[in-house]
């Protein structure tokens, strides 16, 4: 009894039980078959019981408090006799002790497993809430969840799926031991909207399968690579953010009841950590935007006002100057100040744009098109906006305006090659004009202040923001 209960490793404990039973009864063949709810397996001594010759045999159930843990099998006594009452009594006593030992072993294993999953969930939270050097992007956060989940579940693949704009869910982060070809196929792979698996996940319910490749609920071609699988909803505050897929290879042990419970708890903790990390990034972005707004206000309230005052002083000095060359030089300085003020205003507009991942507004697209033409024109065009351009111009008109701007800049650059290129080009987008037919409209004007190229004008009536 001391020998059987001295090892907390389940496999070694099963071997000890079989060896001890064979030693006490003189059996040539002994094996322990497990019948617990967490999967099948066996520990044996000598040849497996399946290979034992026909003849004397003995089977004794291993149970604790009425719960069946497994069965102890014996066959083939050394002396060729049948198993007697003494053998049966010894084996029953051993089976009782074995049941207690197996129960303790399973509890120790479950405790270690829970501790490992709890530590893994804590490490995910720590990684997601680390500083910018440890957690740079949302993609990194999702990858951390996929990698940690795969390691904890001892799975071949861990993947995070998020809702797709066209329906269903798609793989946005993956960690896998499979070949690169499988990884490439799986990344950005989708679970179609009609999948029964997806309906269950959206309801906040986990999906478990012992053989995902043969599961009729799976309609995704990606399932052919996997056997035992857990699809766990990433749920926080009653909202399903996505799903965590943990997949083992075909033929691997199925996920036990304990692993399913711990995996579900890990997914819930990971969802909370993802929400916290997202809010943390929002606070960081907000701090950056506040700094940009402060810089924009300083440029507008201090720098532009001082430049404007300097320009007024120079204008006064030019009117009083008597020598033509002095007046001409002052005029050039005033023009340069005006151009500088316009460039600063353009910079202020750029500082006030939204985050990089947000769809760019019309102002941002116009500035981007102007900057892209700098090499062709020999200088960056000056851009001026009149009225609430982003608010008034619908998406369809905005695309047409940007296309017209590109054509105009190309035409100006092509018509004035080499040294005769215009030193300065002025682009004006006015969302406050009234068209000849009386309708409100938006007008684009591209002109050269020195008159080296005739002005190019494009205009269109304003529509609703929906673009109807």
């Amino acid at each position: 009894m001391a020998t059987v209960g001295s090892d907390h490793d389940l496999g070694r404990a099963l071997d000890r039980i079989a060896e001890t039973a064979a030693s006490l009864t003189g059996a040539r063949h002994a094996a322990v078959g497990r019948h617990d709810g967490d999967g099948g397996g066996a520990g044996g001594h000598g040849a497996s019981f399946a290979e034992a010759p026909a003849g004397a045999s003995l089977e004794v159930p291993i149970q604790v408090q009425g719960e069946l843990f497994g069965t102890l099998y014996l066959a083939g006594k050394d002396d060729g006799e049948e198993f007697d009452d003494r053998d049966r009594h010894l084996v029953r006593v051993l089976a009782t002790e074995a049941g207690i030992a197996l129960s303790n072993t399973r509890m120790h294993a479950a405790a270690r497993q829970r501790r490992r999953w709890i530590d893994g969930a804590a490490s995910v939270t720590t990684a997601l809430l680390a500083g910018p050097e440890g957690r740079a992007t949302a993609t990194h956060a999702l990858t951390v969840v996929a990698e940690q989940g795969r390691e904890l579940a001892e799975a071949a693949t861990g993947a995070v799926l998020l809702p797709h704009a066209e329906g269903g869910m798609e793989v946005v982060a993956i960690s896998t031991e499979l070949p690169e070809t499988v990884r490439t196929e799986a990344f950005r792979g989708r679970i179609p909207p009609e999948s029964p698996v997806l309906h269950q996940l959206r309801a906040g319910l986990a999906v478990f399968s012992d053989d995902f490749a043969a599961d009729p609920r799976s309609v995704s071609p990606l399932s052919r690579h996997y056997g035992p699988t857990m699809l766990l909803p990433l749920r926080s505050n009653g909202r399903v953010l996505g799903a965590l897929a943990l997949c083992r290879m075909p033929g691997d042990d199925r996920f036990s009841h304990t692993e399913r419970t711990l995996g579900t708890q890990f997914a819930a903790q990971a969802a909370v950590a993802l929400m916290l990390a997202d809010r943390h990034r929002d606070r960081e972005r907000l701090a950056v935007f506040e700094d940009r707004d402060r810089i924009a206000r300083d440029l507008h309230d201090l720098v532009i006002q001082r430049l404007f005052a300097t320009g007024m002083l120079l204008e006064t000095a030019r009117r009083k100057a008597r020598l033509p060359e002095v007046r001409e030089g002052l005029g050039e300085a005033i023009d340069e100040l005006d151009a500088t003020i316009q460039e600063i205003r353009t910079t202020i507009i750029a500082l006030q744009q939204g985050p990089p991942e947000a769809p760019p507004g019309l102002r941002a697209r116009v500035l981007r098109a102007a900057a892209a033409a700098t090499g062709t024109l020999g200088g960056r065009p000056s851009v001026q906006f009149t009225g609430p351009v982003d608010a008034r111009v619908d998406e369809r008109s905005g695309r047409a305006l940007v296309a017209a701007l590109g054509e105009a800049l190309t035409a100006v650059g092509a018509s004035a090659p080499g040294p005769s290129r215009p030193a300065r080009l002025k682009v004006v987008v006015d969302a406050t004009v009234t068209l000849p037919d009386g309708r409100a409209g938006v007008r684009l004007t591209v002109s050269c202040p020195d008159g080296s190229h005739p002005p190019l004008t494009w205009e269109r009536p304003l529509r609703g923001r929906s673009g109807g």
Side-chain angles (χ1 to χ4, degrees):
M1 290 182 182
T3 300
V4 169
S6 63
D7 204 323
H8 291 311
D9 180 84
L10 185 57
R12 289 196 298 265
L14 293 174
D15 286 338
R16 284 181 182 273
I17 292 169
E19 291 169 1
T20 304
S23 174
L24 288 174
T25 62
R28 293 194 302 272
H29 305 277
V32 176
R34 290 165 50 195
H35 302 285
D36 56 26
D38 284 349
H45 170 72
S48 68
F49 189 77
E51 299 171 351
S57 63
L58 181 62
E59 298 182 15
V60 178
I62 301 175
Q63 49 188 336
V64 174
Q65 297 179 348
E67 180 185 358
L68 182 65
F69 273 69
T71 303
L72 176 58
Y73 302 95
L74 299 172
K77 291 194 68 170
D78 291 335
D79 55 12
E81 299 292 330
E82 297 287 335
F83 291 100
D84 56 22
D85 291 339
R86 176 181 177 276
D87 295 329
R88 292 185 180 88
H89 177 70
L90 286 173
V91 173
R92 280 196 292 267
V93 173
L94 179 62
T96 300
E97 176 61 25
I100 297 173
L102 288 178
S103 177
N104 292 336
T105 299
R106 195 166 69 168
M107 286 191 295
H108 278 279
R112 289 195 301 269
Q113 194 175 44
R114 286 190 179 90
R115 189 182 311 115
R116 193 166 61 88
W117 279 86
I118 290 171
D119 291 343
S123 66
V124 166
T125 303
T126 301
L128 298 188
L129 298 181
E133 67 282 356
R135 180 215 22 83
T137 64
T139 302
H140 172 77
L142 298 174
T143 303
V144 168
V145 172
E147 290 177 348
Q148 194 66 39
R150 180 184 64 80
E151 293 176 4
L152 292 173
E154 298 178 348
T157 296
V160 175
L161 298 93
L162 294 182
H164 191 271
E166 299 178 2
M169 285 189 181
E170 70 169 340
V171 177
V172 296
I174 186 170
S175 173
T176 184
E177 298 174 345
L178 299 184
E180 185 62 26
T181 54
V182 178
R183 184 192 184 283
T184 302
E185 178 191 4
F187 187 63
R188 295 299 177 185
R190 290 178 59 190
I191 297 180
E194 65 273 12
S195 170
V197 168
L198 188 62
H199 295 310
Q200 219 170 323
L201 289 173
R202 283 179 170 170
L205 302 175
V207 177
F208 304 107
S209 176
D210 292 340
D211 186 2
F212 204 46
D215 197 317
R217 296 173 298 175
S218 175
V219 296
S220 172
L222 300 176
S223 62
R224 72 182 188 277
H225 300 293
Y226 302 112
T229 297
M230 293 193 292
L231 286 167
L232 310 168
L234 296 171
R235 185 174 183 179
S236 179
N237 293 329
R239 185 164 65 96
V240 177
L241 309 176
L244 172 62
L246 302 174
C247 311
R248 288 175 176 171
M249 297 294 293
D252 287 352
D253 290 341
R254 66 185 180 90
F255 289 105
S256 67
H257 175 73
T258 301
E259 288 174 325
R260 294 180 179 189
T261 301
L262 293 173
T264 302
Q265 295 171 351
F266 172 81
Q269 179 66 27
V272 173
L274 287 172
M275 290 285 291
L276 292 175
D278 191 53
R279 292 177 182 177
H280 189 59
R281 286 189 296 272
D282 288 342
R283 286 195 295 270
E284 289 180 345
R285 285 195 293 263
L286 181 60
V288 172
F289 295 150
E290 288 175 346
D291 284 343
R292 291 168 63 173
D293 286 343
R294 178 184 54 78
I295 294 171
R297 286 195 302 272
D298 290 345
L299 287 174
H300 182 272
D301 297 341
L302 300 177
V303 178
I304 287 183
Q305 296 300 328
R306 290 179 179 177
L307 290 175
F308 183 77
T310 302
M312 295 295 291
L313 292 175
L314 290 175
E315 182 64 34
T316 301
R318 186 179 67 168
R319 288 198 298 268
K320 294 180 179 180
R322 297 181 178 179
L323 295 177
E325 57 271 20
V326 174
R327 287 197 300 271
E328 183 178 352
L330 290 173
E332 292 178 357
I334 293 170
D335 291 341
E336 288 299 324
L337 278 178
D338 289 340
T340 302
I341 290 173
Q342 185 58 51
E343 290 296 328
I344 294 176
R345 284 176 175 163
T346 301
T347 302
I348 292 173
I349 292 172
L351 287 171
Q352 293 173 336
Q353 296 302 314
E357 62 269 23
L362 180 57
R363 287 174 179 260
R365 285 180 284 170
V366 169
L367 292 173
R368 190 179 302 165
T374 299
T376 304
L377 299 172
R380 183 166 182 167
S382 171
V383 182
Q384 178 180 338
F385 299 97
T386 303
V389 173
D390 285 335
R392 300 194 67 184
V393 181
D394 63 273
E395 180 62 25
R396 184 183 302 175
S397 298
R399 289 197 299 267
L401 186 147
V402 173
L405 173 61
E407 294 175 0
L409 294 176
T410 301
V412 173
S415 63
S420 61
R421 287 175 179 166
R424 189 176 300 117
L425 193 67
K426 185 175 183 180
V427 176
V428 178
V429 179
D430 189 350
T432 64
V433 300
T434 301
L435 301 181
D437 60 3
R439 289 185 293 174
V442 58
R443 177 180 294 145
L444 167 69
T445 306
V446 180
S447 60
C448 301
D450 59 2
S452 59
H453 194 283
L456 300 175
T457 303
W458 175 96
E459 57 187 24
R460 174 170 292 188
L462 287 176
R463 300 170 181 262
R465 287 292 296 163
S466 64

